[in-house]
Amino acid sequence: MMNYTSHKPVYSNIQITKALPEDIAEHVLLNYTCHVDHEGFDLNEIEQAYHKHNNVSLEHDTTWYKDGDATKGAHGIIQQWLTQTGDCELIIDHSQFVFRYPLAGEAAAQVRSYAKQRPELLRILSTEFKCGLDLCIDYISADRVQPVVHIEWDYTDVTTMLANIHYVETTLKHTNWNEIISVIKRFNKVSKNTLDAFQQADFRSMLLFGRKSYTLIPTL
């Protein structure tokens, strides 16, 4: 029922080690935002500056944002996973690989030196590497769209993520979609006013993948 092209994640054992030029470091570190996305992969303005200076490619996704601020969107290491080909009743809303790399070496030392003037900069030095999968599939039913599955699974290592990519793609390929959609449509109808959004998402994810919808690793 659903055709798509699968992309492979591009990754390496990156650490953000190169310090900013001193002629701009003071302005960046004392004035740019340094709120850290506690559960996700959105990079603040200071993190973006260091990533760009270290030649790490970032994406600006206007559909993926925190705290209701759709005007800013999200900035991060966001890579396409599944790209849908052709039209059908199942639609991929979004499908992404995401990464977060820590600051280290001279970059970390530079941030630490300014933390005496701005202690909240220590947030940036408290993050660790993580990566993740984000997949959302919907179903077009008559004149409305219904959710089928949404997963956000985080990992501390790429090897485990790669194994789960294979598992998800294999499951999608061999799923009896007519049967699954029939069950999900009935579930969506009866659960709409009895279960909260997270409970509903967990049921659909357990039905399809045998795992809960969200396994989030804290950034700090």
Side-chain angles (χ1 to χ4, degrees):
M1 291 180 68
M2 182 173 62
N3 296 316
Y4 56 84
T5 299
S6 174
H7 306 277
K8 302 300 181 184
V10 178
Y11 61 92
S12 62
N13 295 321
I14 292 176
Q15 287 188 321
I16 310 301
T17 59
K18 189 177 178 182
L20 298 175
E22 282 301 327
D23 60 337
I24 67 168
E26 180 176 3
H27 176 72
V28 169
L29 291 170
L30 297 184
N31 294 280
Y32 282 20
T33 59
C34 68
H35 168 76
V36 169
D37 186 353
H38 281 218
E39 293 83 31
F41 294 82
D42 190 16
L43 300 178
N44 62 47
E45 292 176 343
I46 294 175
E47 290 173 318
Q48 291 175 48
Y50 276 98
H51 279 66
K52 292 174 182 177
H53 187 60
N54 282 262
N55 298 315
V56 176
S57 179
L58 301 179
E59 296 293 331
H60 178 214
D61 191 332
T62 57
T63 67
W64 184 53
Y65 51 87
K66 300 287 287 185
D67 304 323
D69 192 352
T71 59
K72 292 184 178 179
H75 297 80
I77 304 172
I78 308 167
Q79 301 173 8
Q80 185 69 19
W81 178 10
L82 305 178
T83 301
Q84 189 157 5
T85 57
D87 297 326
C88 71
E89 294 174 312
L90 285 170
I91 53 176
I92 298 175
D93 179 78
H94 61 268
S95 177
Q96 301 163 333
F97 307 118
V98 286
F99 295 86
R100 173 180 281 276
Y101 296 110
L103 268 63
E106 293 180 358
Q110 186 178 58
V111 172
R112 189 172 289 107
S113 70
Y114 281 90
K116 298 174 183 178
Q117 302 175 65
R118 192 182 182 189
E120 60 265 36
L121 288 172
L122 293 176
R123 295 171 182 154
I124 296 172
L125 301 182
S126 301
T127 66
E128 298 181 353
F129 172 82
K130 67 176 181 176
C131 53
L133 305 177
D134 185 0
L135 171 66
C136 180
I137 299 174
D138 295 325
Y139 176 76
I140 301 176
S141 174
D143 60 347
R144 60 169 296 184
V145 173
Q146 296 195 46
V148 173
V149 70
H150 181 202
I151 60 171
E152 292 184 12
W153 296 346
D154 293 356
Y155 310 91
T156 57
D157 66 279
V158 175
T159 300
T160 305
M161 185 179 79
L162 292 175
N164 276 254
I165 291 170
H166 177 73
Y167 170 70
V168 169
E169 292 183 4
T170 300
T171 301
L172 295 178
K173 181 178 180 180
H174 295 288
T175 290
N176 182 332
W177 286 107
N178 289 327
E179 180 180 325
I180 288 291
I181 293 301
S182 177
V183 173
I184 288 177
K185 287 170 67 176
R186 291 197 302 271
F187 169 76
N188 289 347
K189 184 176 181 179
V190 301
S191 66
K192 185 174 181 63
N193 298 313
T194 58
L195 299 177
D196 65 35
F198 292 103
Q199 291 172 317
Q200 293 180 45
D202 281 343
F203 176 88
R204 291 186 289 262
S205 183
M206 290 292 295
L207 181 66
L208 196 58
F209 298 122
R211 285 184 54 183
K212 288 188 175 183
S213 180
Y214 300 96
T215 53
L216 306 182
I217 295 175
T219 303
L220 299 179

